[in-house]
Amino acid sequence: MGEIARKKYKPLQVNPFKLSQPMGATLAFLGVDRCMPLMHGGQGCTSFTKVFFTRHFCEPIAIQTSAVTDAIAVLDGGDYSIVESVKNITKKISPSLIGLHTTGMPETKGDDVCGVAAKIDFPLVTVNTPDYEGGLESGWALTCKALIEQLVNPAQETDDNKLVLLPHVSLQPIEVEKIKEFIEGFGFNVWALPDLSRSLDGHLGEKQAALSSGGISVEEIRALSDAGLVISVGDSMQTCGNVLRKKNPEMRHHHFSHLHGLEAADSLAELLLAETGFSGPPIPVARWRQRLQDAMLDSHFSLGQSRFLVAAEPDQIAGICQSLYDAGGRVTLAISTVDSPQLKKIKAEKILVGDLEDAEQQVEDYDVIVGNFHCEAIAHRHHKGLVLRGFPNWEQVGNPLKNDILYEGGAYFLFECANAATAARDEGRRHPEE
Amino acid sequence: MVNKPKIKELLDESSCTHNQSRKVACNAPTPGATTGGCAFEGAQISLFPYADAAHLVHGPMTCLGSSWETRATGTSYPRRDLTQMGFTTDININDVVFSGEEKVAASIDYIMEHYKPEAIFVYATCVTAMIGDDIDLICKQAAEKHKVPMVPVHAPGFVGSKNLGSRLGGEAALSHLIGTREPEETTPFDINLIGEYNVTGDMWQYSPLLEELGIRILSTLSGDGRIAQICTAHRAKLNVIVCAKSLVSLTRKMEERYGIPSISLSFYGRRDTSDGLRAIAKALGNDDLIAKTEQLIAREEAAIAVKLKPYQAFFQGKKAVLNTGGNKTWSIASALQDLGIEVVATAVKKATEDDRAKARQTLGEKGVLMMNPGVEQAKIIDETGADLLLAGGRSLYTAIKKGIAFADVNQEKKKCYGGYEGLLNLAEDLKNALQNPVFKNVLRRAPWEK
């Protein structure tokens, strides 16, 4: 746990990797089966978001805009464009849900989206996500919270075999699936909210859907409140766990800051053993634990000689830094998009809320970068190693299947980082200081 | 502030064909049924390729956070390429309540101190236009302080579409840059390239040919452009609009103000490239130049014919469906025909009246002009037995379903298809697509589904 620098004054962001709340909200809605995210604002916010996720996931992305234009922007409380949007969307397709969320413009004029939605006869979940507040993580978390508050039916009884998983935004679809499988191995029936592992995992569907092609269904969300256990992953999601418990106080909520690395995976296994009363884990889990231990040893030679920059959303930084730290990798600089309680716990020498210009100004401090594709330019200019993680990654394919968590993913992640570090050292020898 | 009469005027462009026939607003997005970009995006696209200028986006995170480093606009600028950088005030709730003007001024100072650009474009976005931040005044003061042009760009997303935004970007360049500096020298063959953004180096496929003919590119808006050059654009003899109807207002005004005539053309494919060179030479009106141009065209066409020869047999009898927008509806169609591929249909939904007429001319009477390509393309593939679908990424599923080859000709393309040499890239990519067994393999049924 290192020094946290928050107050550095800079009037602007230069080479930002921060992303907006509305984008996080869109992504969360895409984890609901047959949902149509409807972004209330100018058409550009939606267009940018659509292209952004289409390129990252290499999948068609369902999303619509209320296309607020000049006259409406000034005169109207959002009623017209929202009502028209719902009319036009449902003319062609029948979503199970419309996920209505805001951007900066309607928030600035003070549109009452919840009020408008109440007048519309169609299943809607509304959430306020101005893009001048928070970031990707909070947009996702706020949306998850709204889904719980507005859809989940209250209950008193609990089913101890039923478990709700609340994953943070930076977990890739395969990672959500791996957590579900891990827990299911202990005999639970697991529902993830939101669930990208069934919608954006890169499967080839029967046809190009106009709506999200999978995810948790609206009916399943309504019925979540009889789960005996709730597990939230990532500090951005802790509140959602508490909100879900309000629907049924009998639920037991356990929180994990992340599920990266040996210790975190052990804690999850320990919890599940305690909850089930099992004496040991499923065989594959035990085998993967041994493989991770071996991977830590195999990779520590390279990692131990390397200094890392990790640039990501707070919950993801926390996990990645722990993984690297466990095998001797020194994170000399962690740059977060936004502030978060998570920053206090991060295993890094220096933690900064900032942008990639800050990263480039401290380029002497690290050898390998873990970050999104905007980091490629820095890596290239300064001959650094690069492990592409986070949103967006437009340079590589296969993002939905990148698994860094628990025993199995942890092993693969350490190998990838160690190999990148070795390659960077070799490159450094070929290009001595320029 | 956003100037309402100006937007109205830009939407009602007198040199647009549809204005003579029927009034069709270029600018009517439908709530819940719209997919295009906004005016801010359009302005950014039209001005962004100035690599020696910084582009400061005054707004919240969505506007720039998801849009920087997205376009491969090639530049020969020897210093740090500012088009591959993102600058934004990333306003917060405080700025919304108490104004973000100070932040803009401080950001400009910061950029000048650290990156020393030749100009800064300052973009208003939905939120900052709405709270009324006066970027005009800030830019004026900053320009006096730093002695370089500061250009306010009033194209917040809510004023309309990407197309309108490009026009507003052109307006900003016209009011703040064009005509502010005199060129060191002029030649009788000075031209401006308008609406060529040099994505994947398209412009570099034909600019050496212009140079060889003695035609000088005085300035561009804005591919591989420089601020110093666009300031001298008013001394050009001819405006050449390359593939962009959105900037016709700009060229019309330059004709009215500076007497510069304009022509519109495309550099996709062999015939279009030749016709384009011919049109420029003819418009410059010099007999020697025209003769020289014909010689060059003959030489280049002969050279490319030799290079394309190996592909000819391969493409013979192949049929393609094209689903794209704007002038690509006919320009890529013509390039495909140059390769010996029959174009059985092209989409005209996102094309102007002019483009539709050209598409009809290119495809001939038999060709289908699709007004609703999303629905029509599958049917046409069945009816014609087409071998190839060229479209944006979203149409990939149609191709998979039909088991035919697919090529992406929209924004995700990584290679340049412009000029004579670009045609070779296109040929190679299409050959690879047609030979790729993947389109058959993904249709394979699982053993448990047989």
Side-chain angles (χ1 to χ4, degrees):
Chain A
M1 276 150 267
E3 158 212 355
I4 303 180
R6 283 205 183 90
K7 292 287 172 199
K8 196 179 150 211
Y9 178 75
K10 198 155 93 172
L12 74 169
Q13 289 236 17
V14 181
N15 296 348
F17 67 111
K18 181 181 164 188
L19 297 167
S20 72
Q21 280 204 144
M23 296 179 71
T26 298
L27 195 56
F29 279 125
L30 289 171
V32 177
D33 189 31
R34 301 183 54 74
C35 177
M36 175 62 86
L38 170 60
M39 211 186 256
H40 180 38
Q43 55 183 324
C45 302
T46 303
S47 168
F48 280 141
T49 303
K50 188 183 180 85
V51 171
F52 187 95
F53 286 132
T54 303
R55 286 178 74 172
H56 179 87
F57 288 106
C58 299
E59 298 298 331
I61 297 294
I63 181 175
Q64 261 307 335
T65 173
S66 63
V68 175
T69 53
D70 210 346
I72 302 164
V74 181
L75 299 173
D76 172 55
D79 296 36
Y80 166 79
S81 49
I82 293 170
V83 172
E84 273 300 291
S85 297
V86 173
K87 212 188 284 173
N88 284 323
I89 290 169
T90 53
K91 212 187 281 175
K92 289 184 223 150
I93 46 172
S94 23
S96 63
L97 182 75
I98 289 179
L100 174 64
H101 62 285
T102 57
T103 57
M105 188 226 299
E107 291 290 340
T108 307
K109 1 170 340 212
D111 287 4
D112 174 19
V113 287
C114 297
V116 182
K119 292 184 228 154
I120 295 173
D121 184 26
F122 193 86
L124 279 163
V125 165
T126 56
V127 52
N128 295 85
T129 47
D131 46 5
Y132 48 73
E133 282 176 7
L136 191 76
E137 248 181 34
S138 58
W140 166 279
L142 285 169
T143 303
C144 183
K145 186 167 156 257
L147 285 163
I148 294 169
E149 283 174 340
Q150 296 170 42
L151 289 180
V152 176
N153 295 319
Q156 281 94 41
E157 303 290 303
T158 58
D159 169 358
D160 278 345
N161 283 328
K162 186 169 173 179
L163 188 147
V164 179
L165 171 70
L166 303 169
H168 67 78
V169 68
S170 301
L171 288 169
Q172 291 301 322
I174 196 71
E175 296 181 316
V176 176
E177 181 170 303
K178 291 289 178 182
I179 301 172
K180 281 164 69 182
E181 279 178 8
F182 189 94
I183 299 172
E184 280 161 1
F186 288 79
F188 290 95
N189 299 315
V190 186
W191 274 264
L193 178 75
D195 192 354
L196 294 183
S197 77
R198 287 198 270 157
S199 61
L200 286 173
D201 66 339
H203 66 274
L204 185 60
E206 278 295 295
K207 56 175 187 169
Q208 181 187 345
L211 295 163
S212 69
S213 63
I216 187 168
S217 76
V218 173
E219 285 318 303
E220 287 164 340
I221 298 174
R222 288 194 202 280
L224 283 181
S225 51
D226 62 351
L229 277 175
V230 182
I231 290 180
S232 50
V233 183
D235 284 4
S236 60
M237 296 302 283
Q238 195 162 8
T239 318
C240 290
N242 299 333
V243 172
L244 187 54
R245 273 198 72 224
K246 284 191 188 146
K247 297 285 182 175
N248 182 356
E250 294 301 309
M251 291 175 148
R252 297 185 302 287
H253 174 208
H254 295 274
H255 176 68
F256 293 84
S257 287
H258 60 80
L259 287 177
H260 285 69
L262 186 66
E263 200 185 315
D266 278 350
S267 313
L268 178 61
E270 201 177 351
L271 168 76
L272 297 172
L273 288 173
E275 286 287 346
T276 54
F278 289 5
S279 56
I283 291 166
V285 170
R287 286 292 288 159
W288 272 113
R289 189 175 190 280
Q290 290 171 324
R291 289 186 187 124
L292 172 58
Q293 286 174 305
D294 191 46
M296 291 166 74
L297 268 180
D298 295 350
S299 60
H300 89 276
F301 299 104
S302 175
L303 294 175
Q305 304 174 52
S306 306
R307 301 166 306 154
F308 288 85
L309 160 71
V310 178
E313 301 289 329
D315 287 344
Q316 190 172 22
I317 298 182
I320 287 174
C321 288
Q322 184 70 50
S323 268
L324 292 170
Y325 177 86
D326 288 349
R330 274 179 297 142
V331 179
T332 41
L333 180 61
I335 302 189
S336 173
T337 50
V338 289
D339 207 342
S340 154
Q342 188 79 279
L343 300 191
K344 289 198 290 290
K345 295 178 252 171
I346 285 171
K347 290 274 199 335
E349 286 169 22
K350 193 167 167 195
I351 301 133
L352 191 71
V353 177
D355 56 34
L356 295 179
E357 184 193 52
D358 301 326
E360 194 153 8
Q361 281 166 354
Q362 299 173 53
V363 76
E364 298 303 316
D365 294 348
Y366 50 85
D367 316 302
V368 180
I369 305 172
V370 184
N372 75 8
F373 97 113
H374 289 304
C375 296
E376 202 174 42
I378 305 177
H380 186 76
R381 259 197 299 279
H382 304 284
H383 305 295
K384 304 290 177 186
L386 180 64
V387 176
L388 281 168
R389 285 298 184 276
F391 294 106
N393 176 7
W394 293 340
E395 291 299 309
Q396 298 180 334
V397 288
N399 297 311
L401 301 185
K402 277 187 180 160
N403 177 20
D404 299 340
I405 47 127
L406 297 174
Y407 302 125
E408 182 185 347
Y412 290 126
F413 179 66
L414 290 181
F415 288 141
E416 191 181 339
C417 289
N419 291 335
T422 303
R425 266 191 296 280
D426 291 348
E427 178 76 4
R429 277 183 213 112
R430 279 196 293 275
H431 298 272
E433 275 318 298
E434 282 163 27
Chain B
M1 286 304 291
V2 184
N3 184 329
K4 287 219 167 186
K6 176 165 279 175
I7 287 169
K8 191 146 178 283
E9 174 216 310
L10 286 176
L11 284 175
D12 192 24
E13 175 52 50
S14 57
S15 45
C16 277
T17 319
H18 64 66
N19 267 14
Q20 268 103 62
S21 50
R22 59 196 162 96
K23 289 275 180 194
V24 182
C26 298
N27 189 43
T30 314
T34 291
T35 49
C38 66
F40 160 70
E41 186 184 1
Q44 204 188 22
I45 284 173
S46 67
L47 298 170
F48 207 54
Y50 289 117
D52 58 352
H55 300 261
L56 174 63
V57 178
H58 183 35
M61 213 25 149
T62 306
C63 311
L64 181 82
S66 46
S67 72
W68 74 282
E69 230 186 344
T70 54
R71 278 166 77 91
T73 51
T75 182
S76 57
Y77 186 54
R79 286 171 52 198
R80 184 159 184 181
D81 176 5
L82 297 175
T83 63
Q84 301 303 327
M85 291 190 71
F87 300 94
T88 180
T89 51
D90 181 26
I91 57 159
N92 56 37
I93 181 88
N94 236 14
D95 305 318
V96 173
V97 179
F98 299 107
S99 138
E101 291 180 354
E102 268 178 46
K103 226 175 188 177
V104 180
S107 298
I108 290 174
D109 291 346
Y110 185 94
I111 294 169
M112 287 310 301
E113 186 192 339
H114 292 84
Y115 298 96
K116 302 185 178 51
E118 297 298 323
I120 300 180
F121 293 97
V122 181
Y123 298 77
T125 59
C126 289
V127 174
T128 56
M130 194 164 270
I131 61 177
D133 282 357
D134 189 352
I135 59 169
D136 287 322
L137 182 66
I138 300 166
C139 283
K140 192 162 170 274
Q141 289 168 343
E144 281 159 16
K145 181 173 171 186
H146 296 289
K147 309 283 180 249
V148 303
M150 300 284 164
V151 184
V153 185
H154 294 286
F158 63 70
V159 300
S161 67
K162 194 155 91 177
N163 185 299
L164 173 65
S166 296
R167 296 177 190 212
L168 288 164
E171 286 292 310
L174 182 66
S175 355
H176 296 273
L177 296 172
I178 294 169
T180 58
R181 206 183 281 196
E182 290 302 323
E184 279 174 22
E185 49 163 357
T186 55
T187 79
F189 302 146
D190 282 353
I191 64 168
N192 299 319
L193 293 178
I194 308 288
E196 162 66 88
Y197 305 123
N198 202 29
V199 177
T200 63
D202 277 343
M203 182 182 128
W204 294 332
Q205 300 301 318
Y206 59 82
S207 55
L209 301 178
L210 294 175
E211 198 179 324
E212 189 186 328
L213 291 171
I215 297 168
R216 183 173 76 155
I217 301 170
L218 180 64
S219 80
T220 71
L221 200 157
S222 54
D224 197 14
R226 301 289 182 279
I227 294 300
Q229 290 175 340
I230 190 66
C231 292
T232 67
H234 60 299
R235 296 299 178 211
K237 305 293 183 295
L238 179 68
N239 271 331
V240 178
I241 307 177
V242 189
C243 290
K245 277 289 176 297
S246 52
L247 290 166
V248 287
S249 311
L250 172 77
T251 51
R252 175 177 55 79
K253 285 179 191 175
M254 285 177 77
E255 178 151 23
E256 286 161 10
R257 213 175 280 185
Y258 306 112
I260 307 173
S262 70
I263 52 171
S264 179
L265 48 83
S266 146
F267 284 106
Y268 276 119
R270 173 178 55 84
R271 281 174 298 162
D272 281 357
T273 304
S274 299
D275 289 348
L277 293 171
R278 248 179 223 124
I280 295 172
K282 190 168 157 250
L284 289 170
N286 178 293
D287 289 342
D288 282 351
L289 179 66
I290 293 169
K292 233 168 107 184
T293 304
E294 287 303 335
Q295 280 167 11
L296 180 134
I297 289 170
R299 185 193 75 199
E300 290 294 319
E301 288 203 349
I304 196 70
V306 172
K307 289 181 191 165
L308 285 175
K309 195 129 204 204
Y311 294 95
Q312 246 160 18
F314 183 81
F315 287 133
Q316 195 176 16
K318 295 279 192 293
K319 295 175 189 164
V321 171
L322 177 62
N323 175 6
T324 180
N327 65 348
K328 281 195 281 186
T329 55
W330 50 268
S331 64
I332 293 190
S334 142
L336 291 171
Q337 291 171 342
D338 289 344
L339 295 176
I341 297 171
E342 185 191 344
V343 184
V344 292
T346 189
V348 292
K349 187 184 173 191
K350 293 190 278 179
T352 63
E353 295 291 322
D354 268 356
D355 288 332
R356 283 173 192 169
K358 270 198 186 133
R360 170 57 65 209
Q361 201 187 341
T362 309
L363 262 62
E365 281 313 306
K366 256 179 72 195
V368 182
L369 304 189
M370 300 183 287
M371 276 305 283
N372 191 0
V375 179
E376 287 173 77
Q377 59 186 6
K379 213 174 101 218
I380 291 166
I381 290 168
D382 284 341
E383 284 168 6
T384 58
D387 310 275
L388 179 66
L389 176 65
L390 297 101
R394 286 194 295 153
S395 292
L396 173 62
Y397 272 77
T398 307
I400 290 172
K401 219 169 150 187
K402 300 292 170 201
I404 67 167
F406 177 82
D408 193 327
V409 286
N410 274 0
Q411 52 198 339
E412 279 88 23
K413 82 176 171 95
K414 297 235 160 129
K415 268 193 235 162
C416 144
Y417 297 149
Y420 298 109
E421 290 295 318
L423 195 55
L424 212 55
N425 286 339
L426 182 65
E428 184 59 28
D429 283 359
L430 295 185
K431 182 164 178 265
N432 290 339
L434 285 163
Q435 285 178 331
N436 200 319
V438 71
F439 301 101
K440 294 274 179 278
N441 278 331
V442 293
L443 280 183
R444 232 181 104 94
R445 289 237 167 237
W448 53 89
E449 286 172 344
K450 276 174 182 166

